[in-house]
Amino acid sequence: MFYLVSHNSAVASSQRLKQLLTDIKKGVIKQKPAAEHSKNKKVKKEPNSTDTKVKQEANTIAAIYDPVLLPPYPDKPGIVRLEFHDTCVDVESMNALRTYMYMGILAVSMDTVLGLLDASNYLDIKGSKKLCVDHLKGHVDIKNVLKVLTAAHNYSINRLKQTALEFIDQEFENVVLEPYWLELDVEILKMLISRDTLCVRAEASIFIAVSNWAQAGMTTDSGKSVSGSEAGDSQSERIKVFENMISEPGLIRLSNMSREELIQVSQTQVVSNSGELRRALYDEAMSRVNQTEGQSKPKRLRNYTANHLSNPEFAGNSMRRYPIYDLKKCEATLHGHSRAVCAITVCGNDVLSGSGDGTIRVWSSTNNWECYKVLKGHSNSIVALKVYQDKLLSASPDKTICVWEVGTWKHDRVLTGHRSAVCALSICYNDKLCSGSDDGQLKVWNCRTWALERTIQAHSHVIWSLASCREFIISGSSDTTIRVWDSNNWRFIVTLDQHRDEVQALAVSEDTTELYSGSDDGMICVWNTYTWECVRTLDSNKRAILSLCVYGPNKIVSGLGNGVVKVWNSNPLTSDGALTEHTSCVMAVAVFNGKVVSASYDKTVKVWGP
C-alpha cells in the first residue's frame, strides 16, 4: 500500500515520485495484492508530530509541491512512504489517488473527482486524469458545472470546457443561483457573459447575475478574497470590475435592454452604490430619448427566449424548453394519498404532491412514476408547494411553512409567524418568499436567512392565491378582489375588481405581459400587467376555476370544480379541449416536460399527454 504524510521539512524533486510511478507500472517495485492488503487493515500510521498539520491542511486544495519517496519504515517493510513538502493538498483527494494507483479504483464523489483531477494533472498520471475527465463530462449538472468549468479552464482541458460551456448556455439563469457563482474568477465570469449563445429571458438577467457577484464581496474568515485575483478582496473592487464590464464591448449589453429592464436594474443595490453604473444607465436611457426614428444603435444579440424580465414563478424551469402537445389522454394515475390532493409542483424529474393527509409525496417520472419518498412535517393538510433553488416550501393550515432540502428531502426548518392558516405561497424576483393566510395577511420572508421581514394586512378575508410578475406580487382573495404590490417597497399599487366571487387562482404569462385570474364565479379574466386593465374574459359555464397554470406562450390550463381539466387558447380566450377523468374538483395543475399534471379531491394525481 502507499502511505502519505505531509509536513514542511526539506524540499526535494518531484521527479522522484514520477519515477516511482513509472517503476510501479513496470513492476520494478512490487505491490502487495489486494488479498494481502485486506489482511493488513489493522496496520496504522504511528502517531507523529505532523498529524495536526495534516488535519489543518485537509480542507484546502492547492498545488502539489515536491513529493519525495523515502525509505520504508523499518517495522513496516510493505509500506511505500511518500512525503509532500510545503503543500496544502486535500488529504482525501490524495488518498483517492493512492487507491487508484494501488487498486485501480476511482472514487465517484464529484468533489473528490475534482480534487483527484487536480492531483493527477500535476503528477501527469494520464490514466486517472482521463477517467476524471470522462466522469465529469457525463455528470455535469447545475450544482457542479461552474467548478467543472473552472477546473477545465485552469488545466486547458478543452473538451471538458466545451461540455461545461454548452450546459451553461442552456441553464444560465439556474446556474447563477448556485453559491459558487459568487466565487468565480473574473476571467471565467467574463468568458461566460461574453457568449452570444447564452440562453436567457432578457439582458437584465445577466446584469442582475453579475451585480449579485459584485455585491457579494466573498471573503474567507481571515478577510482574504476567495475569488479571482482581479476581483480583489473587497466589495468595492468587485464593483469596480463590474463598472469596467459595462464599458467593455460584448459583455453586459445595455443597448439590448427594454425601458422596463433599465428601470428594473437601476433599482438594484449595487447600482445604488456606484455612480459609474448609475451614469451608464442614465446615458443609455437618454440616448434613446435623443435618437430619432430609425436611428437605433446596432445590437449584438444573444439567444433571448423572451423580451421581458424573467418571471420568478418559472424559476427552476425557465430554461427548460418543452414541446407543446395537443393534450388528449391520461397517461398515468398516481395513487397513494389517503385524502384530497390539494397542491402540486415540479422539481427536476420529480412531481411533488401535497395532501389533506398531511404528507408530501415525491413521484419519479424516470421510474414509472414510483413514489420514492413521503415527507411528514405538518400537523394538518398541505395546501401550497413551491420550489426555490435547492429548497422545497410547503404551507399548511397548521399556521406554518416547512422548508425541505431538495434531493435528500430532509426537513430543514419551520417558519412560524402566521396566526391563521397559511393558504398560498409565491417567490419574488428579489429572493423574497410571500405567504398569504386565512386572516388576509401577506407575510414577506427573506429566502437567504428565512427571517420574517414584513407583515401586510392585504385583504379583509382569506388570501387564496399569490403570483409574481416582474417586481410585483399579486394576491387573490375571497373578498373577490385582486391586489397588486410593489415588492421593492411593498407599496400598494392597484385593486382589480372584475370578479363577483372568491378569487381562487392566479397565473402569469411566460413573457409577463398578462395576468390570468380564476374565480368561483366561473370567470377567467386576463389583465394587462402594464396598465392593469382587464382585456379579456371568459365564462366557463359557471364552473368554479380552482387552479390555473400557463402552458407555453399561447395556452393556459385550468382545474375546475366539476373535476374537469380544461385547456384554453389565451388569445383569443377560447376552449381547446377538456380532460375528464377526475371524479372530483381539480385543486392544482402544473406543467411537467410538456405534459400537464393535476391534483384532485379524488385523492389522485394524473399525468396528461398527447
Side-chain angles (χ1 to χ4, degrees):
M1 62 183 290
F2 293 95
Y3 185 72
L4 304 176
V5 297
S6 175
H7 63 77
N8 296 316
S9 58
V11 177
S13 171
S14 62
Q15 279 301 120
R16 300 187 64 180
L17 178 61
K18 292 183 180 180
Q19 184 60 50
L20 165 68
L21 301 177
T22 301
D23 291 344
I24 292 172
K25 185 175 181 181
K26 292 180 178 179
V28 176
I29 296 179
K30 301 293 185 181
Q31 303 177 68
K32 292 184 178 182
E36 291 188 40
H37 170 67
S38 62
K39 294 177 183 177
N40 293 331
K41 281 184 178 178
K42 295 183 179 180
V43 176
K44 296 183 179 180
K45 177 170 72 72
E46 294 179 348
N48 59 62
S49 61
T50 69
D51 284 349
T52 301
K53 188 170 291 296
V54 171
K55 291 178 181 178
Q56 292 172 345
E57 296 169 350
N59 294 323
T60 307
I61 299 283
I64 300 173
Y65 297 101
D66 302 306
V68 182
L69 174 61
L70 300 175
Y73 289 106
D75 58 337
K76 298 186 179 74
I79 295 176
V80 176
R81 183 179 171 202
L82 302 178
E83 293 193 3
F84 292 88
H85 297 268
D86 299 316
T87 179
C88 292
V89 176
D90 177 10
V91 172
E92 182 181 352
S93 296
M94 289 308 300
N95 283 336
L97 179 60
R98 175 200 63 189
T99 302
Y100 169 73
M101 289 159 48
Y102 182 61
M103 304 184 70
I105 298 173
L106 181 64
V108 293
S109 161
M110 288 301 292
D111 286 339
T112 301
V113 173
L114 285 166
L116 184 53
L117 176 62
D118 185 35
S120 302
N121 184 76
Y122 179 82
L123 298 173
D124 195 25
I125 307 175
K126 292 183 173 58
S128 62
K129 181 177 178 180
K130 182 179 184 302
L131 283 174
C132 290
V133 171
D134 290 344
H135 178 83
L136 293 172
K137 281 191 67 179
H139 293 80
V140 170
D141 60 28
I142 289 171
K143 291 187 177 297
N144 65 41
V145 66
L146 292 174
K147 292 183 179 180
V148 172
L149 175 63
T150 300
H153 179 74
N154 290 341
Y155 302 141
S156 301
I157 307 172
N158 291 331
R159 61 192 181 101
L160 182 58
K161 180 177 177 180
Q162 188 62 29
T163 297
L165 287 172
E166 290 174 357
F167 183 93
I168 294 171
D169 280 346
Q170 296 301 312
E171 297 285 351
F172 180 81
E173 291 191 357
N174 295 317
V175 168
V176 298
L177 300 177
E178 293 301 314
Y180 194 76
W181 170 260
L182 305 179
E183 303 179 32
L184 276 188
D185 183 271
V186 175
E187 183 180 0
I188 295 176
L189 181 66
K190 288 183 176 180
M191 175 178 64
L192 285 176
I193 66 173
S194 67
R195 292 174 65 80
D196 295 341
T197 49
L198 280 181
C199 184
V200 292
R201 288 184 174 269
E203 190 68 24
S205 302
I206 294 174
F207 187 103
I208 292 171
V210 179
S211 69
N212 289 338
W213 173 89
Q215 186 179 332
M218 292 289 291
T219 57
T220 62
D221 293 340
S222 63
K224 184 178 179 181
S225 172
V226 297
S227 64
S229 58
E230 189 177 346
D233 59 2
S234 70
Q235 185 183 96
S236 62
E237 291 184 21
R238 283 191 171 206
I239 292 177
K240 187 66 177 176
V241 172
F242 189 15
E243 293 169 349
N244 293 335
M245 288 182 182
I246 295 290
S247 60
E248 289 187 39
L251 294 183
I252 298 172
R253 308 168 191 181
L254 298 183
S255 62
N256 291 1
M257 292 189 188
S258 67
R259 175 180 175 275
E260 290 79 12
E261 290 174 69
L262 290 173
I263 294 172
Q264 176 75 24
V265 301
S266 69
Q267 297 171 348
T268 59
Q269 184 174 343
V270 70
V271 173
S272 301
N273 295 337
S274 168
E276 289 293 327
L277 292 176
R278 292 197 299 274
R279 188 176 301 109
L281 293 173
Y282 175 80
D283 290 345
E284 177 61 32
M286 291 305 298
S287 71
R288 301 184 187 186
V289 173
N290 296 328
Q291 71 191 18
T292 59
E293 186 176 353
Q295 287 187 334
S296 59
K297 293 185 289 186
K299 297 181 179 181
R300 181 178 166 188
L301 298 177
R302 303 184 197 268
N303 188 9
Y304 297 117
T305 59
N307 294 321
H308 303 271
L309 292 175
S310 176
N311 179 5
E313 294 294 347
F314 293 96
N317 290 315
S318 60
M319 293 296 100
R320 293 177 175 83
R321 300 176 180 176
Y322 53 83
I324 303 301
Y325 296 117
D326 182 10
L327 301 174
K328 293 181 178 179
K329 65 180 182 180
C330 177
E331 295 188 345
T333 299
L334 314 183
H335 298 276
H337 287 294
S338 60
R339 299 187 68 181
V341 187
C342 306
I344 202 161
T345 194
V346 172
C347 182
N349 291 320
D350 298 329
V351 169
L352 298 97
S353 57
S355 168
D357 61 17
T359 68
I360 301 168
R361 286 182 174 263
V362 186
W363 310 88
S364 172
S365 66
T366 59
N367 193 21
N368 199 30
W369 294 108
E370 176 189 0
C371 175
Y372 69 91
K373 195 72 176 179
V374 178
L375 312 183
K376 298 179 180 180
H378 288 286
S379 60
N380 208 321
S381 306
I382 286 85
V383 296
L385 295 171
K386 285 290 178 186
V387 174
Y388 170 76
Q389 296 185 14
D390 61 347
K391 303 295 183 186
L392 169 68
L393 310 168
S394 58
S396 171
D398 66 10
K399 307 177 186 179
T400 69
I401 301 166
C402 283
V403 183
W404 313 79
E405 294 180 3
V406 169
T408 63
W409 306 115
K410 293 180 179 179
H411 191 271
D412 183 61
R413 68 187 69 214
V414 178
L415 308 184
T416 58
H418 279 289
R419 297 174 299 180
S420 187
V422 188
C423 304
L425 298 173
S426 186
I427 305 293
C428 302
Y429 84 99
N430 54 1
D431 296 323
K432 307 296 183 186
L433 166 67
C434 292
S435 56
S437 61
D438 199 6
D439 55 6
Q441 286 193 345
L442 178 67
K443 289 187 180 290
V444 183
W445 312 79
N446 187 314
C447 289
R448 303 292 185 184
T449 64
W450 301 112
L452 177 61
E453 294 188 342
R454 186 180 294 264
T455 298
I456 302 168
Q457 191 62 49
H459 293 270
S460 58
H461 293 86
V462 183
I463 297 176
W464 286 126
S465 52
L466 291 170
S468 178
C469 176
R470 301 191 301 277
E471 71 270 34
F472 303 111
I473 280 290
I474 304 144
S475 55
S477 170
S478 64
D479 64 12
T480 78
T481 68
I482 301 166
R483 291 188 173 178
V484 182
W485 312 84
D486 186 336
S487 64
N488 290 310
N489 51 28
W490 299 105
R491 180 172 58 91
F492 168 70
I493 303 297
V494 67
T495 297
L496 313 180
D497 56 3
Q498 186 77 18
H499 288 291
R500 301 184 300 274
D501 207 334
E502 301 186 24
V503 180
Q504 296 280 359
L506 297 170
V508 177
S509 64
E510 286 190 348
D511 63 7
T512 75
T513 61
E514 292 186 332
L515 167 70
Y516 309 111
S517 59
S519 167
D520 280 348
D521 61 12
M523 297 287 291
I524 296 177
C525 294
V526 183
W527 310 83
N528 182 305
T529 61
Y530 291 94
T531 64
W532 300 111
E533 295 177 349
C534 182
V535 293
R536 297 187 298 282
T537 62
L538 181 142
D539 191 336
S540 64
N541 297 320
K542 308 303 180 184
R543 300 295 185 181
I545 309 293
L546 302 181
S547 52
L548 288 171
C549 72
V550 171
Y551 185 47
N554 303 310
K555 295 181 186 294
I556 55 177
V557 177
S558 62
L560 306 185
N562 63 349
V564 174
V565 176
K566 190 83 171 178
V567 184
W568 311 88
N569 298 305
S570 58
N571 192 13
L573 198 54
T574 57
S575 175
D576 191 42
L579 308 169
T580 59
E581 292 197 20
H582 280 298
T583 58
S584 188
C585 50
V586 179
M587 301 301 296
V589 287
V591 177
F592 176 74
N593 290 341
K595 300 177 183 180
V596 168
V597 289
S598 57
S600 170
Y601 247 62
D602 64 12
K603 308 177 187 178
T604 69
V605 174
K606 291 186 182 291
V607 183
W608 307 91

